Amino acid sequence: MIDPVIASRLQFAVTTIVHIIFPVMSMGLAPFLIYFTWKEIRTNEQIYEQLRSFWTKIFAISFVVGTVTGIVLEFEFGTNFAAFSKTAGELFGGPLAIEGMMAFMLEATFLGIFIFGRERVSDRLYMLSSVLVGLGTWLSAVWILIANSWMQTPRGFEVAMESGQPIVSLVDPIAAYANPRFPWMYVHMQNAAVLSVALFMAGVAAYFVWQNRDTEFWRKTMKIAIAVLLVSAPFQAIHGDAYGRHVAETQPQKFAAMEAQYETDSSVGLKLLAFPTSVESLTDPRAENLFVVELPFLASILASGGDPEATITGLNDVPTEAPPVAIVFWAFRAMVGLGMWFILLAFWGGFRWYQGTLFEDDLLAKALVGSSVLGILTVELGWIVTEVGRQPWVIQDVLKTHAGVSPGLTGAEALVTLAGFVGVYAALLVLYTYVIARIIRNEAPTKPPTPERERDAPDSVGVVPSDD
């Protein structure tokens, strides 16, 4: 029978990998919806009403499914990781509770106004509802990432032993919640969400352009998405470079796994491209069994912030067992490679836009269509690097993962729930994909928008009276 530790980790990985898709869509769409709403109210142009209405449907579906799958994740802390919950409950429970009471309720309350209230409330109140929905979405990420970042760089706590079990006691909430990792994770995650949605929007729009079924709606969508890509794609690489230095300082074993650096050495080059020379190379990447294209000194420069002779601690000198190097190493390379592709795609689209041939380049359209979901894949890879690279710790240097699993959980129980979760979440993902595809296929505007639209909503804050 499967080890309950392995089954629990696989179950949590499956649910997280599926769940993260929906927050990425809702967090990434939020700024676009605020912009569409603002432009609709300011210009009274129907194209922005169409954009706001269409993408709100996808936002709402993503929000609902993300809520359901997120609640399940929180229950798994009790069912599969009860020992972790007992150890870190005092610190971990607070941010999760605040996320539910403050951020989720804010988002859920004003989402009703935003979806159903366009013709019932004033422009000011409607604009406010779009901002508060977006704020609630992004505040949810604040509290979730506070909890996760604390697990990466724990601060502001003391550990006491209770019946042989370590118990974390919160002594400095500011130090704990404003831990060194949080700002890096938050900025990187939110920009990744916006970048992912921009890629998705550009890919969907490019499909209709490529198929000669384009309208002003899809042309406007494509232009806005490429404009966002031109900002978010380069920023993600710049921020990721600085983020990598922070990881090297705070989690040297993770950085060493990202670079497959086993020996402590100075003047280390960055493996820009790496190709396995055997099956063993794929599962155990090392300098001697990889064909690499390496940039001299760059890994040392990245780790130190500029010193080409800086020393990088190797995995052989890490006091505990190393993370699963192959997973971290290849996931990191795939993530960085896709990030470079997004920059190229953004500038390619920007150049065609500048030339006035944005909608005539079939190869660009095909590239955008093929890249439409790669942003979400890159987010998944980033989280794999983040979480697997921390192993064997569930709380860095405080609690190991195997010690955080529920002590009474059997292999049979864990295997049954793992199989059930895989089946249910796979079906949920297929259903979500079907619904989104149906919305895109059947509910996108097909008629040219009129220059202006007429509304009877008052300019002041309030509710439009009904006819009866």
Side-chain angles (χ1 to χ4, degrees):
M1 190 61 65
I2 191 171
D3 184 347
V5 175
I6 295 175
S8 295
R9 291 176 63 182
L10 287 174
Q11 179 178 312
F12 199 86
V14 168
T15 50
T16 304
I17 285 170
V18 176
H19 166 72
I20 195 63
I21 296 170
F22 315 119
V24 165
M25 291 296 292
S26 57
M27 292 186 302
L29 276 170
F32 287 96
L33 295 181
I34 293 172
Y35 173 73
F36 295 152
T37 304
W38 174 70
K39 288 290 287 185
E40 176 191 353
I41 292 172
R42 184 170 177 268
T43 66
N44 210 36
E45 293 181 11
Q46 192 183 21
I47 184 67
Y48 293 106
E49 178 187 17
Q50 292 175 342
L51 286 164
R52 185 263 307 161
S53 176
F54 175 80
W55 291 106
T56 296
K57 295 171 185 175
I58 294 179
F59 176 92
I61 296 295
S62 302
F63 170 77
V64 170
V65 181
T67 299
V68 172
T69 55
I71 291 173
V72 172
L73 274 174
E74 295 188 7
F75 276 114
E76 286 186 13
F77 290 122
T79 58
N80 292 74
F81 294 93
F84 163 78
S85 299
K86 182 179 180 180
T87 295
E90 181 176 330
L91 192 140
F92 208 74
L96 297 184
I98 295 173
E99 187 267 339
M101 292 186 296
M102 183 183 74
F104 172 74
M105 293 306 298
L106 177 67
E107 182 182 8
T109 299
F110 284 92
L111 184 59
I113 298 175
F114 188 65
I115 294 176
F116 302 110
R118 184 66 187 108
E119 304 301 328
R120 305 180 191 284
V121 301
S122 69
D123 286 347
R124 293 180 186 177
L125 181 55
Y126 194 75
M127 184 71 227
L128 178 63
S129 71
S130 72
V131 173
L132 291 178
V133 167
L135 179 63
T137 304
W138 280 46
L139 279 176
S140 290
V142 168
W143 296 106
I144 297 299
L145 291 179
I146 280 176
N148 187 276
S149 62
W150 179 83
M151 296 162 64
Q152 309 283 337
T153 54
R155 300 288 190 278
F157 70 99
E158 291 180 350
V159 177
M161 298 303 294
E162 183 178 301
S163 302
Q165 174 83 23
I167 303 296
V168 168
S169 177
L170 182 62
V171 296
D172 188 347
I174 294 177
Y177 294 164
N179 64 82
R181 180 60 53 83
F182 170 70
W184 295 104
M185 292 188 75
Y186 188 75
V187 173
H188 210 63
M189 180 63 206
Q190 300 310 97
N191 188 70
V194 173
L195 171 59
S196 299
V197 167
L199 281 165
F200 180 75
M201 293 174 70
V204 173
Y207 173 79
F208 287 94
V209 171
W210 176 29
Q211 296 292 319
N212 295 318
R213 294 156 57 191
D214 59 309
T215 61
E216 183 180 346
F217 175 86
W218 290 120
R219 289 178 175 236
K220 179 69 75 172
T221 298
M222 192 169 173
K223 285 182 176 180
I224 292 172
I226 287 178
V228 172
L229 283 175
L230 282 167
V231 176
S232 59
F235 176 75
Q236 193 74 350
I238 294 169
H239 184 266
D241 171 59
Y243 188 0
R245 289 195 289 275
H246 170 72
V247 170
E249 294 169 359
T250 55
Q251 292 177 301
Q253 86 283 0
K254 181 185 292 186
F255 189 85
M258 288 159 54
E259 297 300 326
Q261 186 68 30
Y262 285 85
E263 303 297 332
T264 300
D265 201 357
S266 59
S267 303
V268 178
L270 178 69
K271 301 177 183 68
L272 187 63
L273 295 174
F275 302 97
T277 57
S278 65
V279 175
E280 290 75 17
S281 308
L282 184 63
T283 58
D284 185 18
R286 295 173 181 265
E288 61 269 18
N289 59 13
L290 290 173
F291 175 78
V292 299
V293 177
E294 185 175 286
L295 296 179
F297 308 109
L298 191 55
S300 290
I301 292 173
L302 291 177
S304 64
D307 182 5
E309 299 181 355
T311 298
I312 294 180
T313 302
L315 292 167
N316 292 339
D317 294 318
V318 174
T320 58
E321 64 261 39
V325 177
I327 296 175
V328 180
F329 179 79
W330 296 114
F332 179 70
R333 256 133 207 88
M335 178 188 70
V336 172
L338 287 171
M340 295 300 102
W341 167 244
F342 300 155
I343 295 173
L344 174 62
L345 205 57
F347 283 104
W348 184 3
F351 178 68
R352 289 303 190 192
W353 189 356
Y354 172 77
Q355 285 186 320
T357 59
L358 178 60
F359 305 114
E360 283 74 49
D361 190 338
D362 286 348
L363 185 59
L364 172 62
K366 293 176 183 178
L368 288 169
V369 172
S371 303
S372 56
V373 297
L374 292 185
I376 295 175
L377 173 61
T378 308
V379 171
E380 304 276 17
L381 292 168
W383 275 107
I384 288 171
V385 173
T386 298
E387 298 305 301
V388 178
R390 186 180 67 235
Q391 299 305 315
W393 303 99
V394 64
I395 305 174
Q396 183 71 47
D397 300 323
V398 176
L399 182 70
K400 290 189 175 181
T401 302
H402 68 82
V405 174
S406 302
L409 186 66
T410 67
E413 292 169 337
L415 184 59
V416 169
T417 57
L418 170 60
F421 271 83
V422 169
V424 170
Y425 271 63
L428 187 63
L429 184 57
V430 170
L431 180 61
Y432 173 82
T433 304
Y434 170 77
V435 171
I436 296 300
R438 188 178 179 85
I439 290 173
I440 292 170
R441 185 172 58 250
N442 298 334
E443 300 193 30
T446 57
K447 296 180 180 180
T450 56
E452 294 185 356
R453 60 179 179 83
E454 298 294 333
R455 287 190 66 246
D456 296 326
D459 290 333
S460 58
V461 174
V463 178
V464 179
S466 63
D467 294 336
D468 48 44

